[in-house]
Amino acid sequence: MVKWDDDIYNTPAYSVTDAARYLRIPVVTLRSWLKGRSYATQIGQQAFEPLIQRPDLALPQLSFTNLVEAHVLRIIRETHQVKLDKVRHALDYMSQQFDTAHPLVMRRFQTDGVDLFVDQVDRLVNVSRSGQLAMRETLKHLLTRIEWNAEGIANRFFPIIEWVPEPGTDKIIFLDPSIRFGKPVIAGQGVPTAAIVSLIDAGDSIDDVAEEFDCSPEQIKAAIQFEAQNRAA
DNA sequence: TCCCGTAGCACTCCGATTGT
DNA sequence: ACAATCGGAGTGCTACGGGA
């Protein structure tokens, strides 16, 4: 089993609320994925088991690894309406094949993992040929928002921004546990988006802030947009 | 004020049952 | 044998309360 217990990628670092905002997932939904839930049926209470394994069950916080896993799961659920129990089965299979509890954050998932995963889902729900192709493309596209370290473990994540200054500039903001404790920062400069927005809120102009942090106005606008969508979530 | 947890409603999906 | 329907399970979400 691949282990990276004590590293920064598997340390509780994000509250459920923050993670839900970054990923655009309702807080309670994310909480259900993390902690499971119970629900009433005619034969009594039933349990919905957690989909994502937190690093420390005594703490509600997610690790960076959990954040990336939730991102992948959200896309699979939202784009392809695959039932969670099928996802669960496919993930169990992936865990065995990859010999890790976190197959979705391995670089191998990008190469042979996507095909393996789609094949598993297909076996469980009999996806159409076009559906399989669409799912492969979606997964491969969303994996372009993740970068891996030398060990093949996800170490940088580019959250989706609703508005970007111009096409092809949607990787302005990223989260990296080794930079600013994993808070959202501007790519290149490493300036926290929250710091930028607090200056703007205090009355500084976009150009002033851009100059102060040695950023472009487009980067500042993207940071404002990212923080605004988090607040609205 | 914010975060966390719980209750419960609404909706979808799927399998069982019933009708033709 | 197939189609229609029904009911329960599973899941997402809102609302609300408690605690820091």
Side-chain angles (χ1 to χ4, degrees), chain A residues 7-27:
Chain A
D7 67 6
I8 52 177
Y9 308 114
N10 216 30
T11 302
Y14 302 94
S15 73
V16 180
T17 308
D18 280 347
R21 284 176 179 161
Y22 298 155
L23 299 172
R24 323 274 298 141
I25 301 175
V27 178

Side-chain angles (χ1 to χ4, degrees), chain A residues 53-132:
Chain A
Q53 292 182 25
R54 278 173 293 153
D56 185 344
L57 294 180
L59 298 172
Q61 281 87 2
L62 293 78
S63 66
F64 176 76
T65 295
N66 296 151
L67 196 77
V68 175
E69 288 172 324
H71 168 67
V72 176
L73 289 175
R74 177 63 166 182
I75 300 293
I76 293 169
R77 281 281 305 139
E78 200 173 61
T79 313
H80 299 289
Q81 276 88 45
V82 180
K83 299 275 284 179
L84 276 185
D85 60 334
K86 310 301 180 194
V87 174
R88 206 189 291 275
H89 277 100
L91 283 180
D92 286 347
Y93 179 76
M94 299 285 296
S95 291
Q96 288 174 14
Q97 293 298 310
F98 282 24
D99 196 25
T100 171
H102 305 285
L104 297 180
V105 300
M106 308 297 288
R107 185 199 289 277
R108 277 188 63 199
F109 183 63
Q110 188 188 34
T111 51
D112 44 336
V114 168
D115 288 339
L116 206 59
F117 183 84
V118 174
D119 287 348
Q120 272 304 300
V121 172
D122 176 45
R123 283 181 57 192
L124 294 164
V125 294
N126 203 7
V127 183
S128 68
R129 172 118 181 89
S130 61
Q132 288 181 41

Side-chain angles (χ1 to χ4, degrees), chain A residues 30-38 47-51 54:
Chain A
L30 184 58
R31 190 173 292 128
S32 296
W33 293 1
L34 287 162
K35 304 189 74 173
R37 62 178 290 184
S38 66
F48 166 69
E49 297 297 326
L51 265 179
R54 278 173 293 153

Side-chain angles (χ1 to χ4, degrees), chain A residues 137-155:
Chain A
E137 288 313 305
T138 305
L139 283 170
K140 283 175 178 167
H141 176 69
L142 87 92
L143 289 171
T144 64
R145 307 204 71 81
I146 299 169
E147 288 181 7
W148 290 266
N149 62 14
E151 285 76 46
I153 296 166
N155 68 342

Side-chain angles (χ1 to χ4, degrees), chain A residues 201-222:
Chain A
D201 286 344
D204 287 12
S205 72
I206 288 176
D207 288 339
D208 287 346
V209 179
E211 193 177 333
E212 180 167 341
F213 289 122
D214 195 22
C215 299
S216 71
E218 282 67 35
Q219 287 176 312
I220 301 299
K221 288 177 191 171

